[in-house]
Amino acid sequence: MMSELPKTYDPKSVEDKLYKFWVDSGFFHAEVNPDKKPYTIVIPPPNVTGQLHMGHAFDETLQDILIRTKRMQGYEALWMPGTDHAGIATQIKVEENLRKEEGKTRYDLGREEFLKRVWDWKHKFGNRIISQLKKLGSSCDWERERFTMDEGCSKAVREVFVNLYNKGLIYKGHRIINWCPHCATALSDAEVEYETQPGKLWHIRYPLADGSGDLVVATTRPETFMGDTGVAVNPNDERYKHLIGKTCILPIMNREIPIFGDEYVDMEFGTGCVKVTPCHDPNDFEMGQRHNLEQILVFNEDATVNANGGKYEGMDRYECRKAVVKDLEEGGYLVKIEDHEHNVGTCYRCGTTVEPMTSAQWFVKMAPLAKPAMDVVNEGKTKFVPDRFSKTYLRWMENVHDWCISRQLWWGHRIPAFYCDDCGEMTVSKTDVHTCPKCGGTHIRQEEDVLDTWFSSALWPFSTLGWPDKTPELDYFYPTSTLVTGYDIIFFWVARMIFSGVEHMGETPFKTVYIHGLVRDAQGRKMSKSLGNGIDPLEVIDQYGADALRFTLATGNSPGNDMRFSDERVQASRNFCNKIWNASRFIQMNLTIDKDKAVELPADLAIEDKWSLSKFNTLVADVTRNIDQYELGLAAAKLNDFIWESFCDWYIEIAKTRLQTGDENVQKVLCYVLSGAMQLLHPFMPFITETIWQALPHEGPSVMVSAWPEYKEELHFAAEEAQMESLMDAVRAIRNRRAEMNVPPSKKAKVLILTEKKDTFAAGAGFFPKLAYASEIELIDTVPADAAKMASVVTGDAQLYMPMGDLIDFEAERARLGKEKSKVEADIDFVMKKLNNPKFVDKAPEKVVAAEREKAEKLKEHLAKLEESIAALQ
């Protein structure tokens, strides 16, 4: 056991030391254990080059609360940690560094040398976020830490790719994709964020080829018109039916293109005629497929115009737009321009406007994978908390497009497709191919593209447990129990893990998906670099300690909702730490019972003991239920209320008199409740609870491996709880009445109690006088004859009387009230002069006059109360 608790709690002096003790003791490590039920959480792997931000701190705190609780409840609790290679994000960082430090690009280095640099970067910064998670108190099983590009995870990625390819669920196709010109790579639909931007709608005249007139198309993207290979109208549109089957001339380019009917066309939008550019719009691409249109790509990968753009070749897309509009206007083809707001796709990484382009890419066929992944949610095998997010998930899965999984990057899992330069054969293989299986040639080159980073993180719940090998861990810990993550990556990650788990493991990867919101600033704004309102969790830990940060994040949280973070809230959590510390230190200093033995509750319990034990017993049930239902914010609030109010402000205050007499029973109850409260609070505030728990008398090396408290029917004392509530109501009422009369606690007064519950007040005789600042108490049967000369209060169970002479010095109080009355009368006089002045009332703003009237009303009310008090003193 620890020695006496220091005078003040200093997080810095205990946190690192305690964390090392937990790790060295192996408390975080989980093993396959047939005697225990498993409980598994896989960490959403942070980016390998990441820095801990408030979103991580929030996410990890919630996971740690769950894992610490389950560990104490006797589960074999595994929290699987690790980091993600993060594809684009990491490569961009290293490229930026290379450009700044050496003025070079990755192409100057070549693929092999550049990848060496990325690995160096990973080794240098890869553990930074892990060490920061430890500062937070995360009880991950660090012996099992994984990385999405480690040997085991890479083996799993190849296994999945080849299996899906062999099933016909992965294919390489020339299809329209989202292209980020800045990151120079394809993006999946989930990586595109849409925002409404002001734009224009250009009406352009396309002459009919037979010279019989023209039709007008409306477009938001004139810069792609060089790639037009058709004009579409709705076949039900009476205005244009007669033109279907004819051709028109593409202005400036002077190319003849067909006019065709397709029901996709919205007759209400623009002119009802749509230019069709299959290579640069997903809907146009679909129409192009249906009507066998030619595909003409007009942009390069950096969004400049290519050779198909004719005279515009080499221009940037926005420069091209200006030039095209100018030429159309000069050629007499521009009919009009309208303002038009439209949805624009941007890259989730860099914010650049995404360019839809046809490209040869690798895709996962989603329809066959989506159905079973929807079934597990519909059948309740995977539940979302809150449930509303299951609808978000299902809606997305119903409308899911094939997933573009290839990325034009160097950092990541290289696609295991091998091309033979001798005969053109492509081989997809789990192992590297050096000889062509078709012609025996040895001129083999591997696909240049790498896989989308989410392809490997989609396998995280089972690749980290040893799959594709059949390991004991996989058998025991899979499916995992709870996934904790933000609503912003349901499509990116959650959906992909579900369909991957169902496809490759035959069952859902987790039973519950607990969704939390974002951490916002005090004004409710999203934390961002551009607003400069981000708060560094490490600075908060440095200033207030990890427990204060964790408790703030937990108390502001309800499932699925955003939370606001402010310095004031952290200070309140720090104050809570100090309150617990001071109370614990007071108890410890007053203990005389044997510190070497676990404390048994005494047989003889006073009313206040039973009340405290009963309240604690209810707390055990409530907190356990709240955590089981993922209402972690509610659990934290109940812990705060019980410890601060019921335990510190009431029970310890009541216990003080008994402690002075060396009463061992009260010591045992104090230790029992404090020790149990520290166990319940431990998942939320691990460091302070461990420090206090170790300083109390009981057995066991650490609070984190002690048994979670359980509700005990024999500690439910309903009658004593009701009695104590009666006594507490009376104490509160007396204190409030004395405060109204400005009577200091040092001035004791006799309290006469008229009640039918004499037994209750008799039972509290040991502590009631002290709490009610009473010189003595007397139980009476009738209203006192001189009740008019007493201060009285009424509660649900009693009428309480205090002789005025005991409470106040009549002369001094009359003088004080008289002085206050004169001041209020002078204030009223001053305000009324203003209000009786027509110049003021007529000329001053209405708001000002109204404020003065309100002030006059309040002053008059105050005067009436003072006169009432003065009359009572006569």
Side-chain angles (χ1 to χ4, degrees):
M1 290 296 165
M2 282 178 66
S3 55
E4 187 181 304
L5 292 169
K7 197 167 182 185
T8 55
Y9 177 60
D10 173 27
K12 283 181 184 160
S13 67
V14 301
E15 289 182 350
D16 291 347
K17 207 160 54 186
L18 277 181
Y19 197 85
K20 186 177 185 307
F21 159 66
W22 292 330
V23 172
D24 292 348
S25 304
F27 295 150
F28 300 165
H29 183 57
E31 282 290 349
V32 173
N33 183 348
D35 299 332
K36 283 186 176 185
K37 275 187 179 174
Y39 181 86
T40 320
I41 292 178
V42 292
I43 201 168
N47 288 359
V48 70
T49 57
Q51 165 95 6
L52 190 76
H53 57 63
M54 208 47 92
H56 291 129
F58 186 29
D59 202 43
E60 315 315 337
T61 296
L62 300 179
Q63 290 171 76
D64 201 31
I65 291 168
L66 295 175
I67 213 86
R68 284 179 183 267
T69 303
K70 294 296 177 185
R71 196 182 282 123
M72 291 171 75
Q73 286 175 341
Y75 289 81
E76 192 65 26
L78 168 63
W79 186 8
M80 174 68 77
T83 48
D84 193 343
H85 67 280
I88 297 178
T90 306
Q91 179 162 317
I92 283 175
K93 244 178 195 165
V94 179
E95 284 194 80
E96 276 172 7
N97 193 56
L98 190 64
R99 191 171 61 247
K100 275 184 206 157
E101 303 288 314
E102 301 174 42
K104 289 180 178 175
T105 70
R106 61 175 155 142
Y107 300 103
D108 296 326
L109 266 64
R111 187 170 192 141
E112 213 167 298
E113 184 53 37
F114 177 74
L115 286 177
K116 267 190 206 162
R117 297 289 185 96
V118 188
W119 277 107
D120 289 347
W121 181 274
K122 185 259 176 197
H123 295 311
K124 189 175 176 184
F125 296 107
N127 293 325
R128 177 178 61 178
I129 197 158
I130 296 296
S131 65
Q132 293 170 342
L133 289 176
K134 291 175 179 177
K135 290 293 279 182
L136 190 65
S138 307
S139 62
C140 297
D141 186 347
W142 299 113
E143 294 174 46
R144 296 185 182 275
E145 189 188 329
R146 300 301 299 270
F147 174 52
T148 50
M149 274 173 64
D150 67 26
E151 207 178 311
C153 290
S154 298
K155 183 182 175 185
V157 165
R158 276 205 167 186
E159 182 82 16
V160 163
F161 187 94
V162 175
N163 290 352
L164 290 176
Y165 179 81
N166 290 339
K167 279 186 172 183
L169 293 175
I170 282 183
Y171 64 92
K172 190 174 189 181
H174 211 79
R175 296 179 62 88
I176 195 129
I177 47 100
N178 306 293
W179 183 266
C180 175
H182 177 262
C183 298
T185 183
L187 302 173
S188 70
D189 291 344
E191 291 169 308
V192 179
E193 291 175 346
Y194 289 91
E195 54 185 53
T196 305
Q197 292 181 359
K200 304 282 182 195
L201 197 58
W202 285 271
H203 292 247
I204 304 166
R205 191 169 59 79
Y206 284 41
L208 296 171
D210 61 9
S212 63
D214 50 48
L215 46 75
V216 177
V217 303
T219 180
T220 57
R221 306 204 61 209
E223 66 273 20
T224 63
F225 97 106
M226 306 85 76
D228 287 5
T229 55
V231 170
V233 298
N234 192 303
N236 303 312
D237 194 329
E238 295 297 334
R239 295 171 295 175
Y240 305 117
K241 260 184 182 177
H242 65 288
L243 296 177
I244 294 172
K246 290 191 171 190
T247 58
C248 59
I249 305 295
L250 184 62
I252 301 169
M253 306 304 285
N254 291 319
R255 198 171 68 240
E256 200 170 326
I257 56 175
I259 302 166
F260 61 92
D262 194 292
E263 295 208 338
Y264 165 75
V265 180
D266 179 357
M267 293 188 273
E268 305 298 313
F269 179 75
T271 61
C273 299
V274 178
K275 71 185 209 56
V276 182
T277 322
C279 284
H280 294 283
D281 182 283
N283 299 309
D284 292 7
F285 178 81
E286 298 295 336
M287 281 197 278
Q289 297 287 90
R290 287 196 289 274
H291 299 279
N292 207 18
L293 298 185
E294 188 186 353
Q295 292 188 0
I296 302 174
L297 188 72
V298 297
F299 289 140
N300 296 310
E301 291 182 354
D302 61 356
T304 56
V305 179
N306 66 18
N308 292 332
K311 63 188 278 195
Y312 306 108
E313 186 180 357
M315 287 183 183
D316 164 77
R317 55 184 165 169
Y318 299 118
E319 190 190 339
C320 171
R321 176 184 288 179
K322 286 178 190 160
V324 163
V325 170
K326 184 171 178 284
D327 289 348
L328 289 169
E329 193 170 9
E330 285 174 1
Y333 298 110
L334 187 64
V335 179
K336 64 172 175 174
I337 306 171
E338 292 176 330
D339 287 332
H340 173 69
E341 278 203 342
H342 59 138
N343 246 4
V344 176
T346 59
C347 171
Y348 83 117
R349 270 284 155 219
C350 66
T352 303
T353 297
V354 165
E355 193 58 59
M357 281 167 49
T358 48
S359 172
Q361 301 285 347
W362 291 85
F363 295 86
V364 173
K365 209 176 274 184
M366 283 305 303
L369 295 168
K371 170 127 186 14
M374 287 160 68
D375 291 345
V376 292
V377 172
N378 282 324
E379 290 161 14
K381 288 173 185 167
T382 291
K383 287 187 168 67
F384 279 79
V385 176
D387 181 56
R388 67 177 185 271
F389 288 104
S390 60
K391 294 176 187 65
T392 309
Y393 165 85
L394 290 166
R395 197 164 49 243
W396 190 73
M397 289 299 261
E398 276 163 15
N399 301 306
V400 73
H401 296 129
D402 285 359
W403 172 20
C404 175
I405 53 170
S406 43
R407 297 288 177 272
Q408 289 62 52
L409 306 169
W410 289 352
W411 173 244
H413 292 101
R414 204 160 163 186
I415 289 173
F418 300 85
Y419 303 95
C420 173
D421 286 338
D422 296 329
C423 72
E425 177 74 1
M426 182 184 81
T427 311
V428 169
S429 168
K430 291 174 190 176
T431 54
D432 286 358
V433 174
H434 303 291
T435 309
C436 176
K438 189 177 179 186
C439 74
T442 55
H443 298 106
I444 307 289
R445 60 189 166 82
Q446 188 176 350
E447 170 67 69
E448 292 285 317
D449 290 355
V450 299
L451 288 162
D452 175 8
T453 187
W454 299 100
F455 192 93
S456 48
S457 50
L459 320 180
W460 191 245
F462 51 91
S463 64
T464 50
L465 292 168
W467 189 90
D469 298 336
K470 285 183 164 42
T471 63
E473 282 84 358
L474 193 60
D475 189 46
Y476 181 71
F477 289 113
Y478 188 94
T480 69
S481 310
T482 308
L483 178 79
V484 180
T485 192
Y487 58 64
D488 50 338
I489 57 171
I490 291 176
F491 316 134
F492 282 119
W493 193 45
V494 181
R496 286 165 181 167
M497 279 191 289
I498 294 176
F499 73 68
S500 300
V502 172
E503 169 68 18
H504 305 293
M505 291 295 299
E507 58 185 323
T508 183
F510 20 73
K511 298 178 187 83
T512 307
V513 182
Y514 168 30
I515 298 285
H516 60 74
L518 305 175
V519 183
R520 296 183 177 272
D521 70 7
Q523 279 91 54
R525 300 172 305 175
K526 193 173 174 178
M527 290 186 181
S528 68
K529 277 182 190 167
S530 56
L531 283 175
N533 63 341
I535 298 167
D536 183 349
L538 294 162
E539 284 178 16
V540 178
I541 291 171
D542 192 53
Q543 193 176 353
Y544 298 109
D547 289 333
L549 170 63
R550 289 169 63 115
F551 200 69
T552 305
L553 291 167
T555 44
N557 154 60
S558 63
N561 295 327
D562 293 348
M563 65 156 293
R564 292 189 181 194
F565 189 91
S566 67
D567 208 44
E568 292 74 26
R569 291 190 54 232
V570 192
Q571 284 167 12
S573 298
R574 190 263 325 268
N575 295 346
F576 181 45
C577 282
N578 292 342
K579 181 86 170 175
I580 300 167
W581 187 260
N582 294 336
S584 305
R585 190 166 179 272
F586 170 78
I587 291 167
Q588 195 205 27
M589 286 166 66
N590 283 280
L591 291 183
T592 58
I593 51 177
D594 189 348
K595 287 183 167 58
D596 300 325
K597 290 180 187 155
V599 177
E600 289 293 319
L601 281 173
D604 185 20
L605 294 167
I607 178 178
E608 65 268 27
D609 300 334
K610 288 184 174 178
W611 168 78
S612 188
L613 288 166
S614 197
K615 292 285 278 185
F616 172 71
N617 201 35
T618 303
L619 179 75
V620 170
D622 287 352
V623 168
T624 306
R625 186 180 61 254
N626 291 151
I627 293 176
D628 282 347
Q629 293 171 353
Y630 303 97
E631 292 284 2
L632 307 188
L634 263 182
K638 284 175 186 170
L639 281 160
N640 183 76
D641 292 349
F642 173 82
I643 293 169
W644 195 296
E645 279 184 48
S646 303
F647 190 61
C648 294
D649 290 355
W650 285 98
Y651 187 66
I652 293 178
E653 284 306 309
I654 293 169
K656 280 179 178 174
T657 314
R658 289 167 67 189
L659 284 172
Q660 284 162 7
T661 66
D663 183 333
E664 287 199 353
N665 285 1
V666 79
Q667 292 182 44
K668 287 178 178 178
V669 176
L670 282 165
C671 284
Y672 180 90
V673 176
L674 178 59
S675 187
M678 291 305 97
Q679 288 174 299
L680 294 177
L681 186 61
H682 175 71
F684 299 83
M685 293 177 141
F687 296 104
I688 193 169
T689 52
E690 178 75 283
T691 311
I692 292 166
W693 191 85
Q694 289 195 8
L696 294 170
H698 45 60
E699 287 164 3
S702 164
V703 66
M704 75 173 288
V705 289
S706 66
W708 184 258
E710 288 184 4
Y711 178 83
K712 294 174 181 167
E713 194 54 52
E714 66 271 21
L715 292 184
H716 177 57
F717 300 113
E720 286 81 355
E721 273 202 57
Q723 284 182 305
M724 270 299 289
E725 290 304 330
S726 273
L727 291 163
M728 288 159 71
D729 281 349
V731 168
R732 286 189 199 102
I734 289 169
R735 286 181 175 182
N736 289 341
R737 187 76 179 96
R738 288 171 63 104
E740 282 166 16
M741 296 167 71
N742 296 311
V743 182
S746 56
K747 197 159 183 56
K748 305 286 184 252
K750 183 176 181 177
V751 178
L752 304 170
I753 305 167
L754 176 61
T755 178
E756 287 178 12
K757 297 189 173 175
K758 286 189 178 177
D759 290 353
T760 295
F761 284 86
F767 59 84
F768 187 85
K770 179 174 177 278
L771 297 181
Y773 313 128
S775 52
E776 60 175 304
I777 61 169
E778 185 187 330
L779 296 168
I780 56 174
D781 297 316
T782 54
V783 176
D786 53 351
K789 292 182 179 173
M790 294 185 176
S792 68
V793 282
V794 179
T795 68
D797 293 328
Q799 284 166 263
L800 305 142
Y801 299 91
M802 293 170 283
M804 281 290 198
D806 287 7
L807 292 170
I808 51 176
D809 176 333
F810 282 88
E811 278 308 309
E813 186 62 8
R814 267 198 290 268
R816 187 187 72 76
L817 290 170
K819 207 170 169 185
E820 195 175 336
K821 182 187 173 197
S822 301
K823 184 185 176 305
V824 172
E825 284 172 336
D827 289 346
I828 291 172
D829 197 39
F830 179 75
V831 174
M832 291 314 294
K833 269 183 188 160
K834 271 191 188 179
L835 291 171
N836 291 331
N837 179 349
K839 282 183 185 171
F840 171 75
V841 176
D842 296 341
K843 291 185 178 175
E846 207 174 306
K847 262 189 187 170
V848 175
V849 178
E852 289 298 316
R853 286 199 175 113
E854 196 180 326
K855 197 190 285 182
E857 283 306 309
K858 281 188 175 162
L859 286 166
K860 284 173 185 173
E861 279 171 26
H862 190 179
L863 182 64
K865 278 183 183 166
L866 286 171
E867 285 171 341
E868 214 175 276
S869 300
I870 291 165
L873 292 174
Q874 299 311 320

